[in-house]
Amino acid sequence: MTSLIESTAGTADVADAADRPTAAKATWDAFRRNPLGILAMALLALLIVVALVAPLLASYPRGHGTAILRPPSAAHWFGTDNLGRDVFAEVVYGTRASMLVAAGATALAIVIGVTVAVCSAYFRWVDGVMGVLVDLFLSLPVLPLMILVAALVGPSLQTIVFVLAFFSWPEVSRVVRSQALAVVRLPYVDAARLATGSPLWIIRKHLLPAVAPVIAVSVVLTASRAVLSAAGLAFLGLGDPNSWSWGRILFEAQQSGAMQEAWWTTLFPSLAILALVVAATLLSIAYNDARDPRTRKD
């Protein structure tokens, strides 16, 4: 009789465990109940789609036209600039360039930052050297150094990507390292050390999956900061002159004097930058709330 009761209880526990949602499903269920998070994700998805299908939306803006500084109309949705080029086309192709810069700089910064973070957390002898290096980078004035490096190397898309990644990885490393240090001290990591002598296997199988949520947030925030920094460099004349970007639109409007008399030449690229940065910030906040059991609403 006792064994029957124990068997029934064991079966009930297994059934409860099977019915209990996984961490990923619980996070998604909580996230989709956040309207701001869904709106932010939809806005970022829209910007990515615009970047991918840019040639289908507008012709590449080049040369000059006869309709100079025309306000928004049915013929030119966002108006025209001082050379008669369509501002809508400039914003569309600026979206593509901005997304390419964000993707390239973020990928490079994440690879460097996460590698440094997990190595510092797992190998304590590395932590001292890398900790000093990260603190040194974080104490430097980032924007003046970005301007200096971009001016010395020369304006190009590759230069902007490498400059942004070079100054972005320390922030990623600091955030991921703090989470990785907490994971390294857990008992199951100690058990894994006893079971295998391969640090690479432990990092790949246990450490990286544990810090994956923090990495996901870092990807979004690093991408938004990269777009903002790239727009700032382009506005200062240090962007790629051979490709359109939101910062280049603002730079040309400022150089030509159209910024004062043609509001549409600055409004729409500024709104695009604002939309991406705000959407990325809201998405990261909503994701953080969704994956935290203490803030989930049942």
Side-chain angles (χ1 to χ4, degrees):
M1 184 67 178
T2 303
S3 61
L4 179 60
I5 293 175
E6 291 177 351
S7 176
T8 303
T11 304
D13 291 340
V14 172
D16 290 341
D19 294 337
R20 193 177 300 123
T22 62
K25 186 177 185 303
T27 300
W28 169 245
D29 290 340
F31 180 84
R32 68 181 181 179
R33 290 196 294 268
N34 188 331
L36 287 179
I38 294 296
L39 179 62
M41 186 171 64
L43 184 54
L44 286 177
L46 176 62
L47 290 173
I48 292 173
V49 170
V50 169
L52 293 175
V53 301
L56 301 179
L57 298 176
S59 301
Y60 190 84
R62 57 169 55 91
H64 56 84
T66 57
I68 298 174
L69 293 180
R70 297 290 176 83
S73 62
H76 303 282
W77 293 354
F78 291 177
T80 59
D81 64 6
N82 62 300
L83 295 179
R85 295 170 300 197
D86 188 64
V87 176
F88 174 76
E90 295 174 358
V91 172
V92 167
Y93 281 90
T95 304
R96 167 173 283 191
S98 298
M99 290 298 176
L100 284 175
V101 168
T106 301
L108 195 54
I110 291 295
V111 169
I112 298 173
V114 171
T115 301
V116 171
V118 296
C119 289
S120 298
Y122 191 84
F123 305 105
R124 300 317 305 268
W125 59 272
V126 178
D127 193 33
V129 178
M130 290 301 178
V132 172
L133 184 63
V134 170
D135 290 340
L136 176 63
F137 269 87
L138 292 175
S139 65
L140 295 174
V142 175
L143 184 57
L145 286 175
M146 280 187 180
I147 295 173
L148 177 62
V149 174
L152 290 176
V153 177
S156 68
L157 197 61
Q158 294 81 4
T159 299
I160 297 300
V161 168
F162 282 111
V163 167
L164 294 177
F166 184 75
F167 289 103
S168 298
W169 73 262
E171 185 67 29
V172 175
S173 179
R174 186 182 66 173
V175 174
V176 176
R177 174 184 170 275
S178 63
Q179 180 71 17
L181 282 174
V183 174
V184 166
R185 300 188 184 103
L186 294 178
Y188 77 89
V189 178
D190 293 333
R193 287 195 186 98
L194 297 175
T196 178
S198 173
L200 183 61
W201 185 88
I202 296 174
I203 290 173
R204 184 166 54 88
K205 290 293 185 180
H206 296 291
L207 198 53
L208 285 178
V211 299
V214 180
I215 296 175
V217 174
S218 297
V219 167
V220 178
L221 293 180
T222 303
S224 66
R225 284 195 293 264
V227 168
L228 195 58
S229 299
L233 291 175
F235 180 70
L236 295 174
L238 298 173
D240 186 359
N242 299 317
S243 65
W244 283 101
S245 67
W246 295 331
R248 179 187 168 185
I249 302 172
L250 297 174
F251 171 72
E252 293 204 355
Q254 191 270 338
Q255 289 291 98
S256 65
M259 183 176 287
Q260 287 76 25
E261 57 184 275
W263 54 266
W264 55 88
T265 58
T266 57
L267 175 64
F268 295 110
S270 300
L271 287 178
I273 297 171
L274 179 65
L276 190 145
V277 173
V278 171
T281 303
L282 291 177
L283 181 63
S284 63
I285 293 173
Y287 177 72
N288 263 331
D289 291 342
R291 71 184 182 88
D292 189 350
R294 295 171 298 181
T295 59
R296 291 176 186 162
K297 296 179 181 179
D298 298 327

